[in-house]
């Protein structure tokens, strides 16, 4: 019988409700109700089976199940195994955990914070420098429409295209007349530094002579007066607010008079707002162009001025350039290959170098290089954080395992570790801002900047916040991803084994760090070597013991100039003296006026040109290949010329002395051939030079003093100057200082590379120090066992140091080709340069290895000296 139970057995074992009905119930009923309902139905089933039989019980069970298939029993209750904390609570938890971890591991926290702070301070300083470099001329209203006119000239002999910044004065009128795309054009003579006097107060001030449309091109804000109207008058002067405060303190400058160059008085017609430091326009006064215009300035053959234009709206530089293309053939001769091109005013400061008529670089290269250096230094600092975090992952593994067991998702763990790294970067940025604030005055002095840490500037706060987040996320990204991926079961069972991946990653990062450091060391040595080459290279003329003074006032021209020179030469401490229109180490004037009998009409003869007085070769100690120097009072020399060897080669004449040429003074004979000497920066090759005897066109008196008697010579100069020119203050400069100023950018680069290279190495060593300390700590027991078995201290030091030294050697091998390529490219920007010697790489390797060895050895020696008994008890 189906309803009979064996004796002593539980009837429930043999009698069961229909299985499919149970499954239907389990599928339909909400989980939180299932246990109660199914339990009640089963109890009723067994009761019915005992009283009415199994069949009746099954029928009744099915009926009750069908009654349960209602929406009430189907409705699910939200499943929540763990309470869900709010975002605020989570962040609070993250911060608390991060704060505790940072406080617990003070050594590693200090290394991380200090390393990141150094990296962030460097990044902030370089970032401020880069922002300042990129901001040049952007303060100008409508800067997008303002352009500097340059001249592209094709050398018919070689096909090369040269680009000049200086232009002939008549070009401005031609552009205004012939180019409809140009709304306004102006020309300036920007090389003026004249004596400004107001009453008894007087000093030299830099200024411009500018044509009428200057303020149509440069819409500069005025504090008082109308600058356009003032510039149109030849008896008015426009000054800056700084100059107004200097000469008219506590009073209105407008309408007052200023004496310029101890000659003419001008009425102040307008006062301009001071120009910002990030401007290529640098002046304190402006006077109408006509006040200094001379006949030679009206010719197309002399390029000595700057021309600027403002384009009309809705036109383009390309269209204007196309219209300008025929200006030179139209106004000079049909064979003239010169073509005006336009450079945006915002690019003038950054893109000064041209090649084949196109901008190829300039300061922008340094901006790129140092942006890269800032990124490198920050990356090195972040790598330190990553290395230490992953190395210490074993100490955080249990924490990760417990958190995962109690329900933490991986995203929560990633958030926790990122929060820790961001908190570290926040501590670091406070230290970094303090470091920037302290070092900024020195930085400004070194790099001739006026940067300021303006805490009220929202842009600074935004940049600092972005830097903090980027640093925190970058530094914490890999540790967060790595630690959050650990398996809790393996951790809690003590079977956690790290594969070779994390260790390989750490080695890669250390190698990368030292690659960057070695790259910077090679850069420091190469830039320093090139600067030493520039400082010591003999230019073909003397620049040592040469003093120059401006010719102005009574001695600016005429017989007094020569009398002044003769009196100077009579001083015992003076060897010789001459007058020149430009300094011979930086001649900027060029001319295409050179010709000679039998010259090929198609031959390009653009030459560098300068005017001098007597004793030029003697004073500058230039080697004379043939002929003689200009002589004082020689009427024959008034139409004579000196040329250099490059000009003789251009003419194709082996013995040019006595040959007739035609240049600025008309037909005349060559009286001397000078050995080629450098007449500009060593970035440029030596070019053909023609020197014309025009003493009255001179701006400087150059004096060669006797060796060791410079002070005596200066005292004599001061006395003679006061006698001849009592209305002007005595000012002098050394020619070698002027030469050094030609390489100011390179000197700044040298300084930047040196300082930030050392910082990069310091940060790398900081990370290596932390890693070595942790490695020594982890291998304490191993070191103890080795010492018990007889290992010496040197064995232990070698054991701990060798792994790191291998990485430094690999870094040297990897970094050397990259450094060679980058620095060869930089050296190629000089026409005359030093070589990239093998010893630079050898020294870089030795320096990097020595620094790394010293860093690691400190921890290795410390570990080796520990008593092995103490080491073995440590675990």
């Amino acid at each position: 019988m189906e309803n009979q139970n064996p004796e002593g057995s539980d009837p429930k074992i043999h009698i069961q409700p229909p299985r499919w009905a149970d499954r239907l119930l389990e599928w339909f009923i909400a989980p939180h109700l299932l246990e109660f309902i199914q339990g009640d139905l089963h109890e009723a089933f067994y009761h019915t089976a005992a009283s009415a039989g199994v069949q009746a019980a099954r029928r009744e069970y099915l009926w009750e199940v069908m009654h349960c298939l209602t929406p009430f029993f189907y409705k699910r209750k939200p499943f929540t195994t763990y309470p869900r904390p709010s975002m605020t609570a989570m962040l609070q938890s993250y911060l608390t955990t991060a704060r505790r971890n940072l406080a617990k591991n003070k050594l590693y926290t200090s290394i991380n914070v200090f390393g990141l702070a150094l990296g962030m301070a460097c990044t902030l300083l370089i970032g401020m420098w880069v922002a300042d470099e990129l901001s040049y001329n952007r303060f100008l209203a409508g800067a997008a429409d303002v352009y500097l006119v340059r001249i592209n000239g094709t050398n018919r002999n070689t096909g090369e295209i040269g680009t000049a910044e200086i232009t002939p004065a008549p070009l401005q009128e031609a552009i205004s007349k012939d180019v409809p795309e140009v709304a306004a054009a102006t020309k300036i003579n920007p090389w003026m530094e004249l004596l400004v006097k107001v009453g008894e107060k007087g000093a030299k001030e830099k200024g411009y002579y500018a044509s009428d449309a200057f303020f149509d091109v440069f819409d500069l804000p005025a504090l008082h007066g109308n600058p356009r109207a003032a510039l149109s008058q030849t008896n008015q002067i426009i000054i800056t607010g700084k100059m107004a405060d200097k000469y008219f303190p506590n009073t209105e400058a407008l309408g007052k008079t200023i004496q310029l160059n101890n000659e003419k008085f001008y009425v102040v017609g307008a006062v301009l707002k001071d120009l910002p430091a990030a401007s290529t326009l640098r002046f304190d006064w402006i006077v109408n162009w006509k006040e200094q215009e001379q006949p030679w300035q009206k010719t197309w053959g002399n390029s000595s001025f700057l021309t600027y234009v403002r384009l009309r709206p809705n036109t383009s530089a390309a269209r204007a350039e196309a219209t300008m293309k025929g200006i030179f053939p139209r106004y000079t001769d049909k064979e003239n290959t010169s073509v005006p091109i336009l450079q945006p005013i915002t690019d003038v400061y950054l893109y000064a170098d041209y090649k084949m008529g196109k901008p190829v670089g300039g300061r922008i290269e340094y901006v790129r290089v140092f942006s890269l250096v800032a990124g490198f230094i920050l990356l090195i600092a972040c790598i330190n954080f990553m290395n230490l975090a992953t190395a210490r992952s074993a100490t955080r593994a249990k924490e990760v395992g417990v958190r995962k067991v109690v329900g933490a998702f991986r995203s929560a763990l990633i958030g926790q570790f990122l929060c820790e790294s961001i908190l570290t970067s926040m501590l670091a940025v406070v230290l970094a801002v303090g470091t920037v604030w302290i070092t900024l005055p020195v930085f400004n002095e070194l790099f001739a900047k006026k940067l300021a840490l303006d805490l009220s500037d929202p842009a600074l706060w935004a940049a600092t916040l972005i830097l903090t987040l980027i640093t925190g996320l970058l530094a914490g990204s890999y540790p967060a991803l790595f630690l959050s991926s650990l398996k809790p079961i393996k951790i809690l069972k003590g079977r956690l084994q790290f594969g070779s991946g994390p260790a390989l990653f750490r080695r890669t990062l250390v190698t990368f760090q030292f690659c960057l450091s070695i790259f910077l060391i090679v850069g420091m040595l190469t830039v320093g070597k090139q600067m030493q080459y520039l400082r010591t290279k003999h230019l073909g003329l003397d620049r040592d013991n040469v003093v120059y003074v401006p010719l102005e006032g009574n001695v600016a021209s005429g017989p007094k100039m020569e009398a002044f020179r003769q009196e100077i030469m009579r001083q015992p401490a003076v060897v010789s003296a001459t007058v020149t229109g430009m300094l011979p180490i930086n001649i900027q004037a060029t001319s295409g006026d050179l010709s000679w009998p039998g010259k090929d009409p198609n031959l390009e003869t653009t030459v560098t040109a300068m005017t001098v007085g007597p004793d030029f070769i003697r004073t500058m100690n230039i080697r004379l290949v043939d002929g003689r120097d200009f002589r004082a009072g020689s009427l024959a020399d008034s139409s004579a010329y000196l040329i250099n060897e490059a000009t003789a080669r251009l003419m194709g004449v082996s013995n040019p002395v006595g040959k007739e040429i035609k240049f600025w003074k008309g037909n005349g004979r060559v009286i001397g051939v000078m050995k080629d000497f450098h007449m500009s920066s060593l970035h440029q090759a030596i070019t053909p030079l023609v020197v014309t005897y025009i003493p009255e066109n001179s701006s400087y008196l150059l004096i060669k003093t006797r060796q060791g008697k410079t002070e005596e010579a200066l005292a004599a100069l001061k006395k003679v100057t006061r006698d001849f020119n009592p209305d002007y203050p005595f000012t002098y400069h050394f020619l070698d200082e002027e030469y050094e100023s030609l390489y100011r950018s390179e000197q700044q680069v040298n300084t930047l590379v040196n300082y930030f290279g050392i910082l990069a190495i310091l940060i790398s060593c900081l990370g290596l120090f932390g890693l070595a300390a942790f490695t020594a700590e982890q291998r304490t027991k191993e070191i103890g066992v080795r010492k018990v078995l007889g290992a010496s201290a040197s064995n232990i030091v070698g054991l701990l140091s060798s792994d790191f030294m291998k990485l430094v050697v690999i870094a040297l091998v990897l970094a050397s080709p990259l450094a060679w390529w980058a620095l060869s490219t930089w050296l190629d920007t000089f026409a005359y340069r030093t070589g990239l010697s093998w010893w630079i790489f050898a020294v870089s390797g030795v320096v990097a290895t020595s620094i790394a060895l010293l860093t690691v050895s400190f921890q290795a020696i410390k570990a080796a000296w520990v008593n092995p008994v103490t080491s073995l008890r440590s675990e």
Side-chain angles (χ1 to χ4, degrees):
M1 294 294 290
E2 193 177 0
N3 57 349
Q4 289 180 341
N5 296 329
E7 189 178 349
S9 64
D10 188 351
K12 296 178 183 177
I13 296 175
H14 305 284
I15 303 171
Q16 295 290 336
R19 183 61 190 153
W20 65 270
D22 264 350
R23 287 180 177 172
L24 178 63
L25 204 63
E26 290 166 4
W27 171 77
F28 187 82
I29 302 296
H32 68 285
L33 299 175
L34 179 64
E35 185 177 355
F36 302 104
I37 293 173
Q38 198 172 35
D40 289 346
L41 291 179
H42 279 197
E43 190 175 337
F45 170 80
Y46 292 122
H47 179 76
T48 305
S51 59
V54 176
Q55 292 299 332
R58 287 181 172 170
R59 284 195 300 272
E60 190 174 334
Y61 186 83
L62 288 176
W63 183 251
E64 293 298 333
V65 167
M66 295 304 291
H67 275 82
C68 291
L69 300 181
T70 63
F72 175 79
F73 294 108
Y74 181 78
K75 187 177 181 182
R76 264 60 176 169
K77 189 177 179 182
F79 178 80
T80 53
T81 306
Y82 303 103
R84 286 191 173 181
S86 67
M87 183 59 73
T88 306
M90 284 179 68
L91 284 174
Q92 197 171 8
S93 171
Y94 291 164
L95 286 172
T96 303
T97 308
R99 181 174 54 77
R100 288 172 180 168
N101 275 320
L102 294 178
K104 181 182 176 184
N105 305 290
K106 293 184 176 59
L107 173 64
Y108 303 112
T109 300
S110 302
I111 290 173
N112 280 331
V113 170
F114 189 60
L116 287 178
L118 278 180
M120 294 167 89
C122 292
T123 306
L124 278 173
L125 276 174
I126 295 178
M128 292 170 71
W129 180 82
V130 167
D132 184 74
E133 293 283 295
L134 295 177
S135 69
Y136 265 72
N137 291 338
R138 296 187 184 278
F139 72 96
L140 290 168
D145 294 328
V146 181
Y147 292 83
L148 169 70
V149 181
R150 290 179 179 269
I151 305 294
N152 273 351
T154 304
N155 189 315
R156 288 195 292 265
N157 308 333
T158 62
E160 290 185 359
I161 300 175
T163 303
E165 180 186 38
I166 50 177
T167 59
L171 180 64
Q172 180 251 317
E173 286 87 355
I175 289 175
S176 299
K177 179 182 172 187
D178 296 354
V179 185
E181 291 84 0
V182 171
T186 186
K187 58 187 170 189
I188 62 171
N189 185 349
W191 327 113
M192 311 307 294
E193 186 175 10
L194 302 180
L195 178 66
V196 171
K197 289 181 75 175
V198 176
E200 296 300 318
K201 194 180 291 183
K204 294 284 193 68
E205 308 287 355
K206 289 186 177 178
Y208 289 172
Y209 285 105
S211 61
D212 293 358
F214 181 84
F215 290 105
D216 294 327
V217 176
F218 300 108
D219 188 11
L220 301 176
L223 298 175
H224 306 287
N226 184 341
R228 286 181 176 80
L231 190 59
S232 66
Q233 305 297 318
T234 56
N235 64 340
Q236 294 196 9
I237 187 170
I238 299 102
I239 62 175
T240 60
K242 185 182 78 174
M243 188 166 157
D245 292 340
K246 180 177 180 181
Y247 290 95
F248 306 101
N250 306 319
T251 184
E252 178 67 61
L254 202 65
K256 301 288 192 308
T257 57
I258 288 178
Q259 188 182 20
L260 201 59
N261 203 29
N262 217 30
E263 295 172 350
K264 185 173 178 178
F265 287 87
Y266 293 89
V267 177
V268 176
V271 179
L272 298 176
K273 188 177 176 183
D274 288 337
L275 300 179
S279 169
T280 56
L281 300 175
R282 287 175 184 167
F283 61 85
D284 285 308
W285 54 264
I286 301 179
V287 169
N288 191 294
W289 172 272
K290 293 172 185 170
E291 286 294 280
Q292 52 90 58
E293 192 170 33
Q294 299 178 31
W296 62 269
Q297 293 178 344
K298 298 178 181 179
T299 67
W300 284 85
N302 190 298
S303 296
S304 302
F305 312 104
L306 301 181
T307 304
Y308 295 91
V309 299
R310 177 181 285 277
L311 299 185
R312 295 186 188 282
N314 303 320
T315 188
S316 67
R319 286 175 58 188
E321 286 176 340
T323 311
M324 290 179 187
K325 214 168 187 176
I327 282 182
F328 275 89
R330 191 157 54 247
Y331 286 93
T332 57
D333 66 78
K334 292 181 181 177
E335 303 300 324
N336 196 320
T337 61
S338 299
V339 176
I341 59 170
L342 299 180
Q343 182 181 33
I345 191 71
T346 49
D347 288 353
V348 169
Y349 179 74
L350 295 172
Y351 296 88
D353 297 340
Y354 276 68
K355 189 173 184 180
M356 293 304 287
K358 302 289 181 187
V360 293
R363 295 278 301 185
I364 190 67
E365 291 168 6
Y366 297 131
V367 170
R368 290 170 183 154
V369 166
F370 285 103
S371 299
L372 208 58
V373 168
F376 281 173
I377 292 176
L378 190 62
L379 191 57
I380 288 173
C382 291
I383 285 173
N384 282 348
F385 187 97
M386 290 183 194
N387 268 339
L388 277 177
T390 52
R392 296 182 62 250
S393 56
T395 62
R396 305 289 300 271
K398 281 189 179 177
E399 176 192 340
V400 172
V402 170
R403 284 182 178 275
K404 283 196 167 183
V405 165
V406 298
F409 295 108
R410 189 180 180 190
S411 58
L413 289 171
I414 290 174
Q416 179 202 326
F417 289 115
L418 286 180
C419 188
E420 197 170 306
S421 64
I422 290 173
L423 185 62
T424 306
S425 70
M426 287 170 70
L427 294 174
V429 81
V430 173
L431 199 57
V433 170
T435 305
V436 169
W437 184 73
I438 292 170
T439 57
L440 200 54
V442 180
F443 186 88
N444 281 333
E445 189 176 343
L446 281 174
F447 304 109
K449 290 286 185 186
K450 294 182 179 177
L451 305 179
L453 199 62
D454 183 6
L455 296 180
S456 63
D457 184 2
L460 176 68
W461 285 103
T464 307
L465 180 63
I466 291 170
L467 177 65
T468 307
L469 289 176
I470 289 176
T471 305
L473 293 174
L474 184 64
S477 57
Y478 179 75
L481 292 171
F482 174 73
L483 289 171
S484 64
S485 68
L486 298 178
K487 302 295 182 189
I489 294 176
K490 291 183 178 179
I491 296 170
L492 298 178
K493 286 185 176 179
R495 295 187 311 197
L496 180 64
Q497 294 290 330
F498 293 110
S500 59
L504 180 63
F505 183 74
R506 284 199 300 277
R507 291 192 192 104
T508 305
L509 291 182
V510 170
T511 306
F512 182 67
Q513 267 186 322
F514 272 87
C515 273
L516 298 179
S517 300
I518 291 168
F519 180 90
L520 290 172
I521 295 173
V522 174
M524 289 163 61
L525 294 175
T526 305
V527 174
K529 189 170 175 235
Q530 176 66 11
M531 291 308 299
Q532 179 67 14
Y533 174 81
L534 296 176
R535 278 192 291 267
T536 57
K537 181 174 174 54
H538 189 260
L539 302 179
L541 53 76
D542 276 358
R543 64 174 189 271
D544 297 328
N545 300 315
V546 177
V547 180
Y548 70 92
V549 297
L551 292 171
E552 54 197 352
N554 298 334
V555 297
S557 61
K560 273 203 170 182
M561 177 196 287
E562 180 58 20
F564 179 56
R565 189 183 77 89
Q566 291 292 344
E567 184 61 29
I568 293 289
M569 288 182 65
R570 277 193 280 275
Q571 305 304 312
V574 173
V575 176
S576 181
T578 187
V579 293
T580 62
M582 293 182 179
L583 296 177
I585 57 166
N586 189 20
I587 308 172
Q588 292 296 325
T590 61
S591 174
D593 293 339
L594 176 64
S595 65
W596 59 90
K599 170 183 170 292
D600 181 353
N602 295 320
L603 184 65
E604 180 66 40
T605 58
T606 298
V607 297
T608 304
M610 75 178 298
T611 60
V612 302
D615 297 324
F616 171 69
I617 291 176
R618 178 188 170 199
T619 305
M620 299 313 304
N621 196 23
I622 297 169
R623 185 180 162 195
L624 200 56
V625 177
D626 194 12
R628 63 174 177 84
D629 199 351
F630 290 126
R631 295 170 180 158
S634 173
L635 292 176
D637 287 353
S638 61
S639 60
Y641 300 99
L642 289 172
I643 63 173
N644 66 351
E645 290 177 308
T647 306
R649 290 193 294 273
L650 175 69
M651 295 170 63
V653 181
S654 58
N655 186 16
V657 174
K659 303 289 183 189
E660 185 176 280
I661 63 172
K662 184 179 181 182
F663 201 58
W664 285 353
K665 297 283 283 188
N667 292 328
R669 296 197 179 275
V670 175
I671 62 167
V673 178
M674 300 174 288
K675 184 79 176 171
D676 284 341
F677 65 89
H678 293 279
M679 59 197 85
S680 59
S681 158
L682 293 186
H683 284 287
Q684 299 169 15
I686 293 174
T687 55
L689 169 71
V690 177
V691 179
T692 309
Y693 185 75
I694 313 178
E696 60 272 20
N697 196 33
S698 298
S699 301
Y700 304 102
L701 173 69
L702 283 83
I703 305 108
K704 173 74 175 175
T705 62
R706 296 192 187 281
Q707 182 79 28
K709 294 193 174 181
T710 305
E711 289 189 11
E712 185 182 336
L714 288 175
L717 266 174
K718 187 175 182 180
K719 181 177 181 304
V720 174
T721 302
R722 283 184 176 173
D723 291 343
F724 277 79
N725 213 15
D727 295 329
Y728 283 77
F730 173 63
T731 55
Y732 67 92
H733 304 278
F734 290 98
L735 197 62
D736 54 353
E737 290 178 351
E738 181 66 22
Y739 175 76
E740 293 271 343
S741 71
L742 295 177
Y743 305 100
R744 190 169 290 122
S745 294
E746 287 77 9
Q747 287 169 349
Q748 289 180 354
V749 168
N750 190 24
T751 309
L752 273 172
V753 166
N754 288 345
Y755 279 99
F756 291 112
I758 291 170
L759 281 173
I761 296 164
L762 178 64
I763 296 170
S764 296
C765 289
L766 205 60
L768 202 60
F769 179 83
L771 211 54
F774 183 76
T775 304
E777 182 184 318
Q778 290 298 97
R779 300 177 75 173
T780 301
K781 192 170 184 179
E782 178 192 343
I783 292 168
V785 171
R786 285 179 181 274
K787 290 189 75 174
V788 167
L789 294 177
S792 64
S794 59
N795 294 143
I796 301 299
V797 171
L799 173 73
L800 293 176
S801 305
S802 59
D803 287 346
F804 294 108
M805 289 304 101
K806 288 175 189 170
L807 301 181
V808 176
V809 172
I810 293 171
L812 176 64
V813 172
L814 294 176
S816 295
L818 182 65
W820 179 87
W821 171 80
L823 291 162
S824 295
T825 305
W826 179 73
L827 286 173
D828 284 344
T829 63
F830 293 86
Y832 303 91
R833 56 185 175 271
T834 183
L836 198 56
S837 308
W838 64 268
W839 63 262
I840 290 178
F841 297 92
V843 170
S844 302
V846 170
V847 169
T849 308
S850 303
I851 293 173
L853 190 60
L854 282 172
T855 307
V856 175
S857 295
F858 177 79
Q859 290 297 337
I861 293 170
K862 188 178 166 187
W865 282 357
V866 173
N867 190 327
V869 175
T870 308
S871 302
L872 293 173
R873 283 177 177 172
S874 65
E875 296 181 23

